[in-house]
């Protein structure tokens, strides 16, 4: 661990947005799944959520992620509706990418609120049940012959609007993570091979100095 690497880890964690996330409902193509995670990392998403495809397994990560899966945790859910309800129970507004009579332009919602963007599977999109359970439905205006975007492109478009609003509100200037949580994640990111052993033994992580070296 070099001091420069450790400083980058802490710099990235200071800008992480634990109140911004996505829920991928049965996104089944690995390149789409990976590309969404890469965008999540780019805008500061700490944890993403996913309902696995019918196969029961999340898509295999590939080079498209640019190793983003190392920096964005993915929590699995059995189905989209229960995931939406769970997130709403935590005070998170869920915005479903879905065309309906109550759809809003994707730029209208307030993304400085705790927000989850619900993205549907490639072939059929967000289910009507999940869209109805969401707090709002959002759409990206399009003027071409094709009236849909690749799911990873849609995710990037919406998440960078969320980033724009949060930058304007100064939410990247002040750490959103509690100091203890930031320190915990800094150790796990800096020492991914050592962290599991400490967890298995029920031991606290050792302290790190300013250069990222373990304090003996």
């Amino acid at each position: 661990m070099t001091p420069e690497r450790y400083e980058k880890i802490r710099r990235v964690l200071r800008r992480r947005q634990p109140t911004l996330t996505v829920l991928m409902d049965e996104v089944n193509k690995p390149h789409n799944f990976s590309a969404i995670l890469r965008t999540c990392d780019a805008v500061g998403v700490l944890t993403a959520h996913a309902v696995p495809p019918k196969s029961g397994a999340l898509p295999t990560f590939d080079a498209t992620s640019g190793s983003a899966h190392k920096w964005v945790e993915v929590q699995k859910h059995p189905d989209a509706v229960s995931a939406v309800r769970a997130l709403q129970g935590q005070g998170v507004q869920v915005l479903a990418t879905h065309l309906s009579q109550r759809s809003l332009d994707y730029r209208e919602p307030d993304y400085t609120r705790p927000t989850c963007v619900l993205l549907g599977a490639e072939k059929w999109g967000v289910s009507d049940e999940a869209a109805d359970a969401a707090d709002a439905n959002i759409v990206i205006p399009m003027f071409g012959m094709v009236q849909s975007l690749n799911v990873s492109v849609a995710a990037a478009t919406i998440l960078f609007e969320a980033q724009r609003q949060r930058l304007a509100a100064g939410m990247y200037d002040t750490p959103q993570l509690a100091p203890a949580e930031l320190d915990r994640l800094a150790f796990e990111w800096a020492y991914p091979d050592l962290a599991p052993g400490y967890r298995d033994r029920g031991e606290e992580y050792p302290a790190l100095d300013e250069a990222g070296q373990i304090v003996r």
Side-chain angles (χ1 to χ4, degrees), residues 6 9-11 13-14 46 175-191 195 199 204-210 212 214:
Y6 186 63
I9 285 172
R10 294 195 67 89
R11 183 170 66 250
L13 285 170
R14 285 194 292 269
L46 181 68
Q176 303 292 305
L177 293 169
E181 179 71 356
L182 197 154
D183 289 343
R184 179 186 70 80
L185 288 167
F187 184 88
E188 291 179 355
W189 287 19
Y191 295 97
R199 291 197 299 270
E204 292 186 2
Y205 296 144
L208 303 178
D209 64 19
E210 292 183 357
I214 295 175

Side-chain angles (χ1 to χ4, degrees), residues 14-212:
R14 285 194 292 269
R15 295 188 174 116
R16 274 303 196 242
Q17 304 289 300
T19 58
L20 178 63
T21 189
V22 299
L23 170 58
M24 296 173 277
D25 183 15
E26 297 191 37
V27 172
N28 59 73
K29 295 182 179 179
H31 65 275
N32 285 334
F33 194 91
S34 298
I36 292 169
L37 287 186
R38 189 166 186 165
T39 300
C40 284
D41 176 58
V43 303
V45 169
L46 181 68
T47 303
H49 300 264
V51 176
K54 299 300 185 206
S55 65
L58 293 176
T60 302
F61 298 115
D62 63 13
T64 310
S65 72
S67 77
H69 61 278
K70 297 178 182 178
W71 320 117
V72 180
E73 179 187 356
V74 179
Q75 293 186 2
K76 293 171 61 174
H77 297 266
D79 63 84
V81 173
S82 66
V84 168
R85 296 301 188 203
L87 288 161
Q88 290 170 329
Q90 299 167 23
V92 177
Q93 67 169 346
V94 178
L95 307 177
T97 54
H98 185 74
L99 179 61
S100 70
Q101 296 212 340
R102 66 184 183 116
S103 294
L104 305 170
D105 185 297
Y106 77 101
R107 291 162 291 200
E108 289 187 36
D110 179 3
Y111 291 93
T112 65
R113 294 176 52 192
T115 300
C116 173
V117 178
L118 170 56
L119 304 154
E122 289 88 348
K123 288 186 177 180
W124 49 83
V126 174
S127 70
D128 290 339
E129 294 79 9
D132 289 344
D135 296 278
N137 295 171
I138 54 174
V139 293
I140 300 170
M142 286 174 281
F143 306 102
M145 294 293 289
V146 179
Q147 290 296 299
S148 65
L149 290 173
N150 173 279
V151 65
S152 67
V153 174
T157 301
I158 297 164
L159 287 173
F160 275 102
E161 169 61 17
Q163 183 202 64
R164 185 193 68 79
Q165 292 188 21
R166 286 174 172 242
L167 278 169
M171 295 178 71
Y172 289 89
D173 298 332
T174 302
Q176 303 292 305
L177 293 169
E181 179 71 356
L182 197 154
D183 289 343
R184 179 186 70 80
L185 288 167
F187 184 88
E188 291 179 355
W189 287 19
Y191 295 97
D193 295 332
L194 296 181
Y198 283 97
R199 291 197 299 270
D200 292 343
R201 295 190 299 270
E203 298 176 5
E204 292 186 2
Y205 296 144
L208 303 178
D209 64 19
E210 292 183 357

